[in-house]
Amino acid sequence: MAYEILLLAVSALQRNALRSALAALGIVIGVSAVVAMVTIGRGSNAKVKEQIDQLGMQLLTLRVGQDTRGGKGAQIEAKPFTRADVEAIRLFRRELQVVAPVASQPARVVLRQANWVADITGADNDFFVAKQWSLAAGRHFSGHEMQAGKNVCIVGATIHQRLAGGGTAVGETIRVRMLPCEVIGVLRKRGQSGLSQDDDNIVVMPLAGYQRTIQGNVDIQSVIVLVRHGVDPSGMKKRIEELMRERRGIAAGQADNFHVLEMRQVAEAMASTSRTLTALLTAIAAISLLVGGVGIMNIMLVSVADRTAETGIRLAIGALPSQIKAEVLAEGVLLAVGGGLAGIVAGLILAAVVCFWLQTPLVVDPATVVIAVAASCAIGILFGYMPAARAAQLGPIEALSRE
């Protein structure tokens, strides 16, 4: 009996193929939107996790000025950090792995006919340790180069590509502003992070040389601190804040003219934002599923009205109302499930294209596919029930008289 009802439902849908396809189109759009949004969201979450791993959960960054993230506070003039401040932080040697003073500013770099504006950074080898940033080619600074401030540099992947193209810049002499600087290393590509436009758009020089030739003073703008594993970064953050308030002569009740950025807090905020955005987009996409269900119900009501005479004849020759109801309901379910399967394929293709464009991993969740199919079945039953019930309520005489 179920097989016969299924065959009748398929036959009815084939008689009006265009109308059936248009009815299923709403489900295709709805399911594809949901599947695409969830898949893209998972890929974005994976990308955020990768960026978080690059930031490092044990990383603290001490910066001059107030924290203006989220629009809170206003940037105030504050004196830069000094070498003495860095050495004072290094006294926490039992809790800290490395302490890296950093100074930076943008400048144009030139190699032969190629030129590009880069973030010129003065630092030492501890900078690479704190950032967990390895070399793709070349070497790190030697002790003599850091101490004497030699004109050598290590460039990021973006700068290497812009200046050297398909070749290698290691061993070449580039000009930073008007200063000749030998490239001794190339950093591994990291890509765009959650905190900057492009991490790889960087040229790192020994801090002493940068301060003497580029900056013109011994100011330090920030200090990157890598806390040892097993030590609470939040507790270490408070200790550094207390130390800096004391060293910078900030009295009780006065606002700090510096701030310590804890990467764990940044990571949690990034992950939370990504999850919220994914949930919002998925909820918006799910609305189209309801619209698709309403479309199926409308088409099925029209279909039942068009087949009034046929329904009356079948009832007159012995068909049961429950059989009529089951057939119409089967039509709705077939439309919804067919549209759902097509929507899954379309959604995965769309997600693959978007993930490729955004350079995020394609993460397909089998549970999403199963839920999409289940949702399609539920929509077919929910929105197909009213037309099916209306068809089953027709009596043979009433149906024939209407026609």
Side-chain angles (χ1 to χ4, degrees):
M1 180 65 69
Y3 180 70
E4 293 176 355
I5 290 174
L6 186 61
L7 286 180
L8 288 172
V10 172
S11 176
L13 293 176
Q14 288 177 340
R15 286 203 302 268
N16 295 282
L18 180 59
R19 185 166 64 185
S20 300
L22 292 176
L25 184 60
I27 299 297
V28 173
I29 295 173
V31 171
S32 62
V34 171
V35 171
M37 288 300 100
V38 172
T39 304
I40 294 169
R42 287 185 174 274
S44 299
N45 288 337
K47 183 67 174 180
V48 168
K49 185 178 183 302
E50 179 184 339
Q51 293 173 348
I52 289 171
D53 291 339
Q54 290 180 359
L55 293 176
M57 292 296 95
Q58 299 296 106
L59 204 63
L60 302 175
T61 303
L62 174 63
R63 293 177 176 172
V64 173
Q66 292 180 324
D67 187 1
T68 57
R69 288 178 299 133
K72 61 181 182 180
Q75 190 69 32
I76 62 173
E77 291 294 330
K79 62 180 181 181
F81 302 115
T82 65
R83 281 282 186 180
D85 292 328
V86 176
E87 294 305 320
I89 296 174
R90 283 179 173 155
L91 293 178
F92 298 119
R93 59 177 61 92
R94 296 180 57 184
E95 295 86 1
L96 305 181
Q97 186 173 339
V98 294
V99 178
V102 177
S104 65
Q105 60 180 275
R108 187 169 297 276
V109 293
V110 180
L111 175 60
R112 292 188 287 274
Q113 302 303 316
N115 68 90
W116 193 251
V117 176
D119 180 17
I120 313 302
T121 298
D124 53 28
N125 288 332
D126 285 342
F127 172 81
F128 307 113
V129 177
K131 290 281 191 177
Q132 302 177 35
W133 209 344
S134 59
L135 294 177
R139 62 177 178 84
H140 287 108
F141 304 127
S142 68
H144 174 68
E145 289 169 340
M146 289 189 295
Q147 185 175 6
K150 292 290 186 179
N151 293 344
V152 294
C153 60
I154 298 173
V155 300
T158 297
I159 299 302
H160 187 258
Q161 176 62 33
R162 292 289 182 178
L163 298 185
T168 178
V170 176
E172 297 278 1
T173 298
I174 65 175
R175 283 188 291 114
V176 181
R177 292 184 178 168
M178 300 304 296
L179 175 73
C181 189
E182 181 188 356
V183 179
I184 63 171
V186 178
L187 293 165
R188 290 196 180 278
K189 183 177 178 61
R190 298 188 71 166
Q192 185 174 350
S193 76
L195 298 179
S196 64
Q197 292 297 318
D198 184 3
D199 276 355
D200 300 311
N201 192 44
I202 189 171
V203 174
V204 184
M205 302 173 59
L207 179 60
Y210 170 87
Q211 291 175 328
R212 184 183 68 251
T213 59
I214 302 295
Q215 186 169 268
N217 55 55
V218 295
D219 294 345
I220 295 173
Q221 298 167 0
S222 62
V223 182
I224 301 176
V225 177
L226 182 60
V227 181
R228 293 186 185 276
H229 288 287
V231 178
D232 180 23
S234 298
M236 197 67 240
K237 173 185 175 181
K238 293 179 181 178
R239 295 178 67 182
I240 292 176
E241 287 174 339
E242 292 172 358
L243 174 65
M244 287 297 103
R245 286 182 63 87
E246 179 182 346
R247 291 190 58 82
R248 296 167 77 86
I250 300 174
Q254 287 184 327
D256 294 340
N257 55 13
F258 67 93
H259 65 277
V260 181
L261 186 65
E262 185 179 354
M263 289 305 165
R264 184 167 61 182
Q265 295 176 342
V266 176
E268 291 172 354
M270 289 169 61
S272 176
T273 301
S274 179
R275 288 193 298 267
T276 301
L277 183 60
T278 300
L280 177 62
L281 293 176
T282 303
I284 294 173
I287 295 175
S288 60
L289 271 177
L290 296 177
V291 175
V294 173
I296 286 181
M297 183 173 66
N298 289 335
I299 293 296
M300 293 306 301
L301 287 172
V302 172
S303 178
V304 168
D306 287 347
R307 292 169 10 215
T308 301
E310 176 188 335
T311 302
I313 292 172
R314 291 178 60 190
L315 290 170
I317 62 176
L320 298 174
S322 60
Q323 294 174 329
I324 302 296
K325 182 177 181 179
E327 179 192 338
V328 177
L329 190 60
E331 292 179 27
V333 173
L334 285 175
L335 283 175
V337 172
L341 294 176
I344 290 171
V345 175
L348 292 177
I349 293 174
L350 177 61
V353 172
V354 174
C355 288
F356 176 78
W357 180 57
L358 295 177
Q359 296 184 342
T360 58
L362 179 65
V363 182
V364 180
D365 184 10
T368 302
V369 176
V370 173
I371 292 173
V373 174
S376 300
C377 293
I379 286 174
I381 295 172
L382 178 64
F383 290 95
Y385 182 81
M386 181 183 293
R390 178 168 295 186
Q393 290 172 357
L394 291 173
I397 297 176
E398 179 188 1
L400 291 172
S401 63
R402 284 189 186 181
E403 191 65 23

